[in-house]
Amino acid sequence: MKAHPALLWLLLAIAGCAQAAELQEPQTMPIIYDQPGEKFILRIDNRRYQLPYTIKDTIVRQMTEINYPRVKQLFEDYKHALEDKAKADAQIAKAQGNANRDTARVDSLRRSLDSLRNQLAFKRSSSSVDVRDINFLQDQIRNIAAQIASAEEQEARSMSQLDKTQGAAESVRARADKAHDDYLQALTRHEKPFSEIRALAMSLGQAL
C-alpha cells in the first residue's frame, strides 16, 4: 500500500479543527430603559439592573464604543467560512477514499499477478508438465497484467484529482483562518466595553 501525504494532511486538518474552539456569536447591544425617579434600568447578559442616572452618561459613552453591526458581519463571514471549510474537508475525504480504493485495487492485482507467476514457474519446473495448465496460467497472467495497466491509469487519475482537491481546499482553509482571526480581534474589542458596563452594573446596580 502506498503512503498518501494528502491523508496525513487531512488528518492534521481534522485534528486542528477539533482542537480549535468555535467562536460564539457576539453579544447584542445593552439596552437602557428610562423610568421616572432617580434610577434607570439596564439590560445586559439577559439580566436587568437598576442603576442611578448619575452613571448613565458613562454607560452611554461605553456603548458608543461597541460597533455591533461590524462585529456581527464579521461573525457571519466567519460562519460562512467554516461552512466552506467543512465542505472542502468533505471533498478531500471523498477524493482520498477514491484514491485509497484505487491504490488498494492495484496492490491486490499485483499480488494476484505475483501468485500466478509463481504458479507458472512451479508448473514449468515440475517433472510432469501439463501444457493446458501452462496455457491457462499464461492467459490469466496476460489478463491480470491488462487489468493492472487499467487500474494504474485510474489510480493516477484519482491521485491527480486528490491533489487538485487538496490545492483548492488549502485556499478555503486560509480564508477560514483569516475570517477566524478577523472576528476574534473584533470580538475582543467588542467585549472590552461590555466588561466595563457589566462591572458597573454589578457593582453599582441592583439586579432585578
Side-chain angles (χ1 to χ4, degrees), residues 30-32 40-44 47-49 51 59 197 201:
I31 301 175
I32 290 177
F40 67 97
I41 294 176
L42 172 71
R43 182 177 179 86
I44 184 173
R47 295 181 179 181
R48 296 192 307 158
Y49 298 88
L51 292 159
I59 291 179
I197 295 172

Side-chain angles (χ1 to χ4, degrees), residues 94-130:
K94 181 179 179 181
Q96 182 69 67
N98 291 339
N100 289 348
R101 178 200 63 204
D102 294 336
T103 296
R105 185 167 186 269
V106 170
D107 290 343
S108 177
L109 288 170
R110 285 174 177 163
R111 288 193 296 271
S112 297
L113 182 61
D114 288 342
S115 175
L116 288 170
R117 284 172 172 168
N118 289 336
Q119 292 178 53
L120 180 61
F122 175 77
K123 288 289 185 180
R124 284 174 170 170
S125 63
S126 64
S127 56
S128 58
V129 177
D130 189 326

Side-chain angles (χ1 to χ4, degrees), residues 2 8 47 51 76 96 108 116 136 168 179 188 206:
K2 295 180 181 178
L8 298 178
R47 295 181 179 181
L51 292 159
E76 295 300 328
Q96 182 69 67
S108 177
L116 288 170
F136 174 77
T188 301
Q206 177 183 356

Side-chain angles (χ1 to χ4, degrees), residues 57 77 148 159 170 177 183:
D57 289 345
D77 294 344
I148 288 176
M159 292 299 295
E170 286 176 352
D177 290 342
Y183 176 57

